[in-house]
Amino acid sequence: MKKSELVLVAGAGGFIGGHLVADLLRQGHTDLRAVDLKPFDEWYQRFPEVENLQLDLQDKDNCYKALKGARVVYNLAADMGGMGFIENNKCLCMLSVLINTHLCMAAKDEGVKRYFYASSACVYNADKQRDPNVTALKEADAYPGQPEDGYGWEKLFSERMCRHFREDFALQTRVARYHNVYGPHGTFEGGREKAPAAICRKVIHAKLSGDHTIEIWGDGYQTRSFMYITDCLKGTQTLTWSDFVEPINIGSSELVSINQLVDIVEGIGGIKLKRSYNLKAPKGVNGRNSDNTLIQKVFGWEPDTKLRDGLEKTYRWIYDQMSGRYAKPRTVSFAELH
């Protein structure tokens, strides 16, 4: 595409969306429209040279307004968060189906060239994720359908919506199944954060507060893979402009347990903590990993940032956000006051 053509990033006030806008700017794109539901002061990254709009994309008219003149759409908009949010807000997660449905309708009518939809590894059949020593999930494992309740069903349904808009209306949709994206400039507190950011926050809190304890959700043996944000951006844009039309995993294949994740972050922070395990807290499936056979075959590449390397950058950013809260008041002298 020409870098002067209008690109819409839906969900631009969020973690991945903000990084995508920044990356498109670095590449020299000159006509970018960033849309999010959140007030501007709550966006993780916002750029003055971009057309920034605050719109609720569950509303059909707003989707048409957002897509007016757009040639490329990256749909990253969804009401979502970490496992605690997903398990306790199933209806809110399901309502995100309105965003993708109305954006697809507007994209068809506006003659959009490429439409990217951010799906999730939560679409995969739960029966294949009961063992921490999980066999990595390949794309075919989404069927027969038994995804994560709420959020996973919405993602799987929206994947099908994209497929049928492509088959029936020739809208060039592309679908990626993200596996646990993390990095700086994202949620690390408040209930919507995911495991890497949550563990970084807890370790930093322990280090700065002097309370050398940490609570872990579940028994710590549940396993996951985590993908650094730069790999996510590369995979997203490579897929969007490829001829590959089926849903594809974009995720790291470096499997770790939550206990091992804590080990890594403790090592980065230079501290060892006493662990307690909250077995009643949401913990999701027992094991999930990305089978990258297909993405290697199609693109000759897979997300390859080592977990420790990405966590070091994430930890440093979160530390900078939190450290000011623990600064001790400085004694002010009489001379300074007068």
Side-chain angles (χ1 to χ4, degrees), residues 34 143 146 149 186 194-195 228 242 281 289 318 323:
Y143 294 94
Q146 191 184 348
D149 199 10
K194 295 188 176 182
Y228 191 60
S242 75
N289 195 14
I318 296 176
S323 58

Side-chain angles (χ1 to χ4, degrees), residues 6 29 107 274 280 301 314 316 322 334:
L6 177 58
H29 287 269
K274 181 179 180 180
K280 295 182 179 180
W301 171 84
T314 306
R316 285 200 300 269
M322 294 180 63
F334 180 83

Side-chain angles (χ1 to χ4, degrees), residues 167-186:
E167 293 174 339
D168 294 356
F169 303 118
L171 176 63
Q172 289 301 306
T173 57
R174 301 293 185 266
V175 174
R177 292 174 181 161
Y178 287 158
H179 288 249
N180 296 310
V181 189
Y182 73 99
H185 297 285

Side-chain angles (χ1 to χ4, degrees), residues 17-18 35 77 142 169 183 211 215-216 228-229 231 241 288 296 318:
V35 179
F169 303 118
D211 178 9
E215 182 186 81
I216 297 172
Y228 191 60
I229 182 62
D231 288 334
W241 292 105
R288 178 183 293 152
Q296 290 172 338
I318 296 176

Side-chain angles (χ1 to χ4, degrees), residues 253-271:
S253 59
E254 183 182 352
L255 186 70
V256 295
S257 70
I258 299 302
N259 279 327
Q260 289 171 325
L261 179 65
V262 176
D263 289 340
I264 295 171
V265 179
E266 285 179 337
I268 293 169
I271 192 171

